[in-house]
Amino acid sequence: MYVDILILSHLLKGPIHGYELKRGVAETTGYTLHNNSLYPALRRFEESGAVVKTAEPQEGRPPRHIYTITELGRELLYDMLGELPPELAGNEEEFLTRVGLFSLIGPDERRAVLAARGRALAERERHLLHQAGRASGSDRHHDWGGLVVAELLDRVRRERTWIERLTERA
C-alpha cells in the first residue's frame, strides 16, 4: 500500500510520465519503483478514476503517457495517509511513508497513525520479551541470539519514545 501512497503523492506535484515518476520516487525515497509495480498501480488508479492518463505525441516515437491525479485520487491518498490498519502497522515502510507525508493530513489523522504504530510496537515488545525469557531459560541459549533480541528490544523502545514525541507534536 505504501507504494500506492508514493505514486499518488508524487502525482500531487503535477502531470508526469511514468519514467519521471519512477525517478522522482527514487530521488526522494531511495526506493526503486519497478515497471511491474508502477504501471499496474497506475492502471488500477486510472480504472478507479483516481488518475487520468493522456497521450502526448512525440515526433518519430510512440506517444508518451502522462498521468494526472484527480480529485478522487487526492481523496484516496488522504484516506490512505490517515489510516494505518493493524495488519500494516508493524511494517516500517508503511509507517514511515505516512509520517513523511504528515503535512498533508490533520492532527487527528496523524495521532491515529501514531497510535496504530504504537500498538504494533507494544505487541512486538511483548513478543520479544517473551522470546528473551524463553531463550534465557533454555539449555541451548546462545549469546548471539540474546544480543539480537536485546538490540530489537532497544529499537522498539527507542521508536516508542520517538512516537510519544511525535504524538505531542501532532
Side-chain angles (χ1 to χ4, degrees):
M1 184 180 214
Y2 76 96
V3 172
D4 289 352
I5 292 172
L6 292 174
I7 292 168
L8 290 174
S9 68
H10 276 78
L11 288 172
L12 287 176
K13 299 173 186 174
I16 192 169
H17 60 85
Y19 174 76
E20 288 295 323
L21 181 57
K22 281 175 47 175
R23 193 172 68 167
V25 167
E27 285 176 359
T28 58
T29 66
Y31 178 79
T32 302
L33 276 175
H34 297 283
N35 288 348
N36 60 356
S37 59
L38 173 63
Y39 291 103
L42 288 170
R43 218 172 290 113
R44 193 170 20 86
F45 290 143
E46 186 182 6
E47 290 169 0
S48 70
V51 168
V52 173
K53 177 174 79 173
T54 56
E56 181 182 85
Q58 299 184 99
E59 194 172 317
R61 298 174 69 189
R64 181 187 316 210
H65 297 286
I66 305 294
Y67 299 91
T68 306
I69 193 168
T70 65
E71 190 56 39
L72 179 65
R74 290 175 193 277
E75 291 174 20
L76 176 63
L77 173 62
Y78 299 138
D79 288 347
M80 286 190 291
L81 287 173
E83 296 175 0
L84 186 57
E87 65 273 12
L88 299 178
N91 183 297
E92 188 173 273
E93 289 88 1
E94 291 288 347
F95 172 65
L96 293 176
T97 297
R98 285 165 175 81
V99 173
L101 295 167
F102 266 8
S103 62
L104 298 176
I105 59 176
D108 290 341
E109 292 86 0
R110 292 176 195 158
R111 284 190 287 274
V113 168
L114 293 167
R117 179 64 174 182
R119 287 187 297 275
L121 289 173
E123 180 58 36
R124 182 167 172 85
E125 185 175 18
R126 279 190 294 278
H127 172 75
L128 289 168
L129 287 169
H130 176 73
Q131 290 300 99
R134 284 182 57 205
S136 68
S138 167
D139 292 340
R140 299 182 336 187
H141 176 67
H142 300 286
D143 290 338
W144 291 107
L147 290 172
V148 170
V149 170
E151 173 61 23
L152 292 174
L153 274 167
D154 188 50
R155 289 179 187 189
V156 165
R157 290 171 177 156
R158 280 194 322 262
E159 186 173 344
R160 289 183 76 187
T161 299
W162 182 57
I163 287 173
E164 288 172 13
R165 289 194 315 264
L166 291 176
T167 302
E168 290 170 9
R169 183 176 177 177

